[in-house]
Structures are given as structure tokens and as C-alpha cells.
């Protein structure tokens, strides 16, 4: 595929480089690792395989590729300060006339909108879960300070060495 070949052989392509940004709505650190990043073309290329091009749309829903695209474009665009586009380079796992067919796929706007909604919902939910865990750890530590039975509780969950390390970390952090 001529376009796929250009993406893969582009001398300015960045392959599998991690990119981090802090989400302004939640304060969470977000990370993506695009297969191919073409900053000079403001393009993210993600490589996928499929046994059947006709069923790739089902894979989008099944593997949440629309959510992945939303996250990657948001993180990369925030990192570089410009809007990036996104394409899937889809490679067949079945040979056809001695070659593995390749298609470049750009998702329809309906997938993009749904993916972004789910991505934002997931990030907000992750923030809630982390908050709940921090609160639970703080409550456990408070119980320990109040009546010193925390040690028995935590060693039921962790090995003795893990419990000692956690106590040390909590004391050092001033929680």
C-alpha cells in the first residue's frame, strides 16, 4: 500500500515513543505510546492486524479502538499544542497473491464522537476509583493510629514484609 509505505518509511517518523500529559479536568497523568508518530504531518498511525477486513468494524467496538483513538489524539495534541489526525494501518493476517493486504482506515465521525465520550467517562471514573482507594488507605491508617489494630488487619491482606514496607512508606509520607 503506497500510503502505508510512506508512513512506515518516513525519515521523520517516531516509533513507539511514550508521551505523557496531565489531564486538566482530573489532574491524572495520561500516557500513550503511538506505533508511528509523524509530528511534521500532525498524524498518529496505529498498526492493527485483522483476519478479515470486512469484520474490522466489529473489532473497533470489541477492542475499543475508537476509545484508543480518542485518548491518543487528545494526549498527543495536548503535548504538541496542535491538533493531530489519526489513522489505522490495518494488515491482514491472511496472504492474498503472496502478500499481506494492507488498508489505511480513518474512523467515521460517529465512532470518533462515541470514542471521545467513553474515553472522558473512563478518565473521570478512574479519578473516582483512585480517590476512593486513597480515602480507604487513609481510613485504614487512621484506625491504626486510633487503636493499633491496623497491623493485624493489613497483614491479613499483605505479606509481613509488604506490610512493614507499607507502614514505612505511610509514616515517611506523613499520611
Amino acid at each position: 500500500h503506497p500510503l502505508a509505505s510512506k508512513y512506515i518509511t518516513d525519515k521523520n517518523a517516531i516509533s513507539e515513543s511514550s508521551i505523557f500529559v496531565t489531564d486538566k479536568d482530573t489532574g491524572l497523568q495520561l500516557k500513550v505510546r503511538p506505533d508511528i508518530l509523524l509530528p511534521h504531518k500532525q498524524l498518529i498511525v496505529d498498526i492493527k492486524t485483522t483476519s478479515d477486513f470486512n469484520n474490522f468494524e466489529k473489532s473497533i467496538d470489541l477492542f475499543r479502538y475508537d476509545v484508543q483513538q480518542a485518548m491518543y489524539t487528545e494526549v498527543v495534541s495536548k503535548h504538541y499544542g496542535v491538533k493531530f489526525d489519526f489513522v489505522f494501518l490495518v494488515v491482514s493476517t491472511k496472504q492474498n497473491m503472496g502478500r499481506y493486504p494492507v488498508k489505511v482506515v480513518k474512523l467515521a465521525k460517529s465512532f470518533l464522537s462515541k470514542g471521545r465520550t467513553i474515553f472522558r467517562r473512563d478518565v473521570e471514573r478512574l479519578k473516582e476509583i483512585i480517590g476512593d482507594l486513597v480515602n480507604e488507605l487513609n481510613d485504614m491508617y487512621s484506625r491504626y493510629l486510633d487503636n493499633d489494630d491496623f497491623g493485624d488487619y493489613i497483614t491479613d491482606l499483605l505479606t509481613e514484609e509488604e506490610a512493614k514496607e507499607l507502614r514505612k512508606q505511610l509514616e515517611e509520607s506523613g499520611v
Side-chain angles (χ1 to χ4, degrees):
H1 190 282
L3 194 52
S5 179
K6 286 181 182 180
Y7 295 154
I8 292 171
T9 60
D10 190 308
K11 64 180 169 115
N12 296 311
I14 300 170
S15 298
E16 294 191 9
S17 180
S18 296
I19 298 173
F20 300 86
V21 298
T22 300
D23 182 63
K24 67 179 173 85
D25 295 331
T26 63
L28 294 176
Q29 185 86 353
L30 303 178
K31 171 191 169 188
V32 297
R33 191 174 173 90
D35 292 330
I36 301 171
L37 185 63
L38 302 165
H40 59 291
K41 295 182 180 181
Q42 299 169 345
L43 182 66
I44 302 162
V45 180
D46 192 66
I47 301 170
K48 300 292 183 205
T49 59
T50 186
S51 60
D52 182 1
F53 285 121
N54 296 326
N55 286 328
F56 186 68
E57 192 169 314
K58 290 179 185 174
S59 295
I60 294 168
D61 281 330
L62 181 64
F63 299 112
R64 295 170 36 115
Y65 292 158
D66 53 341
V67 179
Q68 176 192 1
Q69 178 175 342
M71 181 175 181
Y72 276 48
T73 54
E74 183 172 313
V75 170
V76 172
S77 296
K78 283 181 181 178
H79 177 78
Y80 282 93
V82 293
K83 180 141 178 55
F84 271 69
D85 204 359
F86 188 106
V87 295
F88 289 101
L89 194 150
V90 185
V91 182
S92 176
T93 57
K94 295 180 182 175
Q95 284 189 1
N96 184 358
M97 296 178 60
R99 295 183 169 203
Y100 293 96
V102 175
K103 287 187 179 184
V104 175
V105 177
K106 190 168 182 174
L107 296 186
K109 289 195 185 295
S110 60
F111 281 111
L112 301 177
S113 177
K114 184 182 90 159
R116 172 136 175 78
T117 299
I118 294 170
F119 164 62
R120 292 309 315 164
R121 182 203 66 203
D122 289 353
V123 170
E124 291 294 331
R125 182 65 186 126
L126 181 60
K127 173 71 174 174
E128 291 173 20
I129 291 168
I130 291 170
D132 291 346
L133 288 171
V134 167
N135 290 336
E136 187 173 328
L137 283 173
N138 285 333
D139 290 346
M140 288 169 59
Y141 189 66
S142 293
R143 286 194 302 275
Y144 163 71
L145 292 176
D146 291 344
N147 56 25
D148 202 27
D149 69 354
F150 181 71
D152 292 335
Y153 177 73
I154 198 164
T155 52
D156 290 341
L157 301 173
L158 306 172
T159 66
E160 188 173 329
E161 189 171 310
E162 291 170 328
K164 285 180 185 177
E165 180 61 27
L166 180 59
R167 278 191 211 104
K168 179 182 170 190
Q169 289 174 0
L170 288 170
E171 288 168 4
E172 288 174 356
S173 70
V175 175

